[in-house]
Amino acid sequence: MKNFLKWLTVPLAIFLLAACGTSETDNGNGENNNSNPPNEEVDEDENQNENKDDSQKKENEIRVMEENLSYEIDGETKEETAFLKESDNQAFSLHVLPDFTLTAEEPNKDILHLNDQSEVFMRIEVLPEEVDMKQLEENTMIQLQSVNEEVEHPSLPQDDFFKDAVMMEASSETDTVTAFIVHNDSAQVKLTLFNKNEDTNYKDAFIEMAKTIQTK
């Protein structure tokens, strides 16, 4: 009887040890209880990717405070440091040259004017996303025809900012008005430049500053 109990106890102990090992690593269906559900791992990866994307966007939104701009004036090339300015009136920023000042004209319109000649300026209008571009072009044409019935379409400046933009220009005996309708990844704006014919032409300076416009 003692020998029988002895041999019965040994297999029972082996069975219990095996059962304990199985309970820690296997639920009986061949699945590991300690492994994380696949969905949780995927969710963690997606959250990490989203955080990286958000961080990248924030980095892209940071703008340098100063930028050197080169422009032509009176047949000569001039280079100056322009400083970043944010509009208090509309959701955009740009780099402004020292001889110019950005001010609000009225709701949804800003003026970037020459300090010594306020009548030499560029009007900046941020366009809503749902704007009717065709109607806007027609209205711009009518505005320029008040300066001169013959409205010209000069060649666009060679820069990605003006890619696919619309440009119109009209001149009188005293003034030249140039309009741009710009729609790109950086900005969707209407720009209207006013220059005096008998004075220094600041058109290129305005264009160089316009290239730095970014809407928010």
Side-chain angles (χ1 to χ4, degrees):
M1 183 68 177
K2 290 182 180 179
N3 290 335
F4 175 77
L5 292 175
K6 178 181 178 180
W7 290 109
L8 180 62
T9 302
V10 172
L12 180 61
I14 295 173
F15 174 79
L16 291 175
L17 289 174
C20 291
T22 303
S23 63
E24 292 179 357
T25 59
D26 195 338
N27 61 8
N29 294 325
E31 297 178 359
N32 193 327
N33 289 333
N34 292 332
S35 62
N36 294 324
N39 290 338
E40 292 183 3
E41 293 180 356
V42 172
D43 290 341
E44 289 178 1
D45 292 340
E46 288 179 352
N47 291 334
Q48 290 178 357
N49 291 335
E50 288 178 359
N51 292 335
K52 289 180 181 179
D53 292 341
D54 291 340
S55 299
Q56 187 65 42
K57 288 179 182 178
K58 290 180 180 179
E59 290 178 2
N60 292 337
E61 290 173 356
I62 297 174
R63 305 197 65 185
V64 294
M65 295 302 297
E66 301 177 9
E67 183 172 337
N68 292 331
L69 300 181
S70 298
Y71 60 96
E72 290 188 7
I73 187 167
D74 294 333
E76 297 182 1
T77 299
K78 190 174 182 179
E79 182 173 338
E80 291 183 307
T81 300
F83 298 89
L84 184 66
K85 302 292 183 182
E86 290 194 12
S87 170
D88 296 328
N89 187 39
Q90 301 183 89
F92 78 91
S93 61
L94 83 164
H95 287 87
V96 177
L97 290 166
D99 293 335
F100 299 82
T101 300
L102 178 68
T103 60
E105 181 185 30
E106 57 184 80
N108 302 318
K109 292 182 182 180
D110 283 77
I111 293 293
L112 180 62
H113 67 84
L114 184 65
N115 293 335
D116 295 337
Q117 295 175 271
S118 58
E119 64 272 20
V120 177
F121 64 93
M122 175 171 68
R123 178 177 289 118
I124 304 172
E125 301 174 63
V126 176
L127 304 175
E129 294 182 0
E130 66 276 8
V131 65
D132 186 332
M133 287 295 183
K134 183 177 181 180
Q135 185 64 49
L136 180 60
E137 290 181 28
E138 293 176 357
N139 292 341
T140 303
M141 176 70 74
I142 293 172
Q143 291 171 354
L144 292 182
Q145 285 175 338
S146 65
V147 179
N148 191 324
E149 290 186 359
E150 295 184 8
V151 177
E152 300 179 352
H153 294 269
S155 299
L156 287 167
Q158 296 299 310
D159 190 89
D160 287 342
F161 182 83
F162 292 102
K163 184 180 179 181
D164 300 326
V166 175
M167 180 178 181
M168 307 178 194
E169 190 170 82
S171 298
S172 66
E173 293 182 358
T174 58
D175 304 287
T176 296
V177 181
T178 309
F180 295 93
I181 299 174
V182 179
H183 186 191
N184 58 43
D185 293 336
S186 299
Q188 183 169 284
V189 293
K190 176 184 176 183
L191 309 172
T192 311
L193 286 59
F194 296 83
N195 277 286
K196 293 292 183 181
N197 295 338
E198 67 273 13
D199 298 324
T200 299
N201 191 330
Y202 288 91
K203 178 180 176 180
D204 195 50
F206 282 124
I207 288 175
E208 290 302 315
M209 288 186 284
K211 291 178 183 179
T212 70
I213 293 175
Q214 286 188 14
T215 53
K216 299 177 183 178

